[in-house]
Amino acid sequence: MGTPKFIASCWTSGGNVGPGFDSEVSPIDPIDRIEAIAATGWTGFGLPAADLKVVEETIGFKSLYERAQELGLNHIEVEFATDWWLDDSQWRETWELLIRAATTLNAKMIKVGSAFGEPVTDFTPFIAPYRRLAQEAEAIDSRVALEPIPFCLLGTVSQGADLMAAVDHPAAGLVVDYWHIFRGNTSLEELERRVPIEYVFGIELTDARNEIVGTLFEDTRDNRKLLGEGDQDVIGFIKTIQRMGYQGDWGVEILSAEQRSKPILEGLQDAIESARKAFELASN
């Protein structure tokens, strides 16, 4: 495998902001943000809905896209819609924002999730709504990627793979975030056995301690670690995904209070260096 391309997943570059904050808008100017991403060696980035709304209302998606292309940032992701299976205009407003952003930014995928709660045992009500999302993403030459999260209704990557099989649409797939694999008690053997690689639209690398601090949501938001600084088998995960045949870019999602406290260039540099070291170890 050649040198991997690393994507700064949205919270890695957001600065002092995170999911569940009173405002999820990054304090960093969008152009300054992507210039810092490019300067530290990344080849793409993700942005969440709150920041995309600001971009749309200020400089516009076209200006952001043009600068990203000048910087060589060719992989762009947008996120995060939930409640997409409900008859509710609020989620639709977010989804339509993501569609507009993905259209102009030529986004490789639109990420979605499910609501907080105990994982469901029957995902039948999600099948037709997810297929509709996939159809709408395909219409703009993008794809929709579900991120299974252990404290949400669609909780494991195995369940996510079963849902994708039922949806049966080429623009419907998954984001595989290793924190959620680890905390969802999914073994690497189960991941390889249960998840066809054609469903894997994106990867998010991360690390964490064995101990859970606070709720699962608080732990994922505040306590992730740079690759190699936690207790997860990051190297084993990378090797498993490579063995499965993954050919895409590799997202790095360092979401923590420590990451938020760093100046943006330092945080981005630390994150990509940890990813590079992990791949060096995985190649041995």
Side-chain angles (χ1 to χ4, degrees), residues 22-282:
D22 290 340
S23 171
E24 295 185 0
V25 175
S26 172
I28 302 167
D29 175 83
I31 296 296
D32 291 345
R33 182 175 181 176
I34 66 170
E35 288 177 346
I37 289 168
T40 46
W42 306 83
T43 58
F45 61 93
L47 288 179
D51 290 324
L52 292 167
K53 188 169 188 284
V54 171
V55 169
E56 184 175 45
E57 293 173 350
T58 55
I59 62 173
F61 296 135
K62 185 173 183 291
S63 293
L64 185 72
Y65 180 71
E66 289 173 348
R67 185 61 181 136
Q69 295 307 290
E70 291 170 355
L71 294 166
L73 299 173
N74 297 315
H75 182 117
I76 301 175
E77 303 169 353
V78 298
E79 59 182 87
F80 199 72
T82 61
D83 295 341
W84 38 267
W85 59 95
L86 301 177
D87 183 14
D88 186 319
S89 61
Q90 187 171 1
W91 78 262
R92 190 76 204 178
E93 182 178 335
T94 299
W95 174 252
E96 289 175 355
L97 168 67
L98 297 179
I99 286 286
R100 292 194 302 273
T103 300
T104 304
L105 297 174
N106 191 28
K108 303 298 183 183
M109 62 181 171
I110 304 169
K111 296 183 190 177
V112 301
S114 57
F116 286 9
E118 289 295 319
V120 300
T121 56
D122 178 14
F123 57 69
T124 303
F126 298 88
I127 297 172
Y130 200 82
R131 186 180 295 121
R132 183 176 65 243
L133 296 185
Q135 291 166 345
E136 293 184 22
E138 183 182 51
I140 62 163
D141 199 27
S142 189
R143 303 186 292 181
V144 60
L146 171 71
E147 186 170 352
I149 297 173
F151 48 86
C152 290
L153 300 181
L154 297 169
T156 68
V157 70
S158 297
Q159 184 182 49
D162 290 343
L163 174 60
M164 295 311 122
V167 170
D168 191 24
H169 192 286
L174 302 169
V175 175
V176 179
D177 180 323
Y178 190 40
W179 192 96
H180 301 310
I181 298 291
F182 183 79
R183 292 296 192 224
N185 298 316
T186 300
S187 69
L188 296 178
E189 183 277 331
E190 180 183 348
L191 170 66
E192 187 170 6
R193 176 172 50 85
R194 294 278 284 106
V195 183
I197 197 60
E198 59 266 26
Y199 295 162
V200 180
F201 290 174
I203 300 292
E204 291 183 354
L205 297 168
T206 191
D207 208 340
R209 298 293 189 192
N210 282 325
E211 179 188 5
I212 297 169
V213 178
T215 65
L216 276 176
F217 172 71
E218 290 167 339
D219 194 59
T220 197
R221 183 191 64 188
D222 298 335
N223 301 313
R224 295 192 187 205
K225 294 300 210 178
L226 294 171
L227 310 187
E229 294 188 0
D231 300 317
Q232 297 186 28
D233 183 10
V234 177
I235 307 308
F237 176 70
I238 291 171
K239 289 181 175 181
T240 298
I241 295 297
Q242 290 175 330
R243 189 166 56 245
M244 290 167 64
Y246 181 71
Q247 298 295 318
D249 300 342
W250 296 76
V252 180
E253 183 83 296
I254 307 302
L255 178 56
S256 68
E258 182 179 7
Q259 179 77 359
R260 290 191 289 271
S261 72
K262 297 176 181 177
I264 183 171
L265 285 169
E266 179 184 341
L268 285 165
Q269 193 68 53
D270 288 348
I272 199 167
E273 286 180 1
S274 77
R276 288 169 177 156
K277 289 176 184 176
F279 272 82
E280 288 174 8
L281 292 170

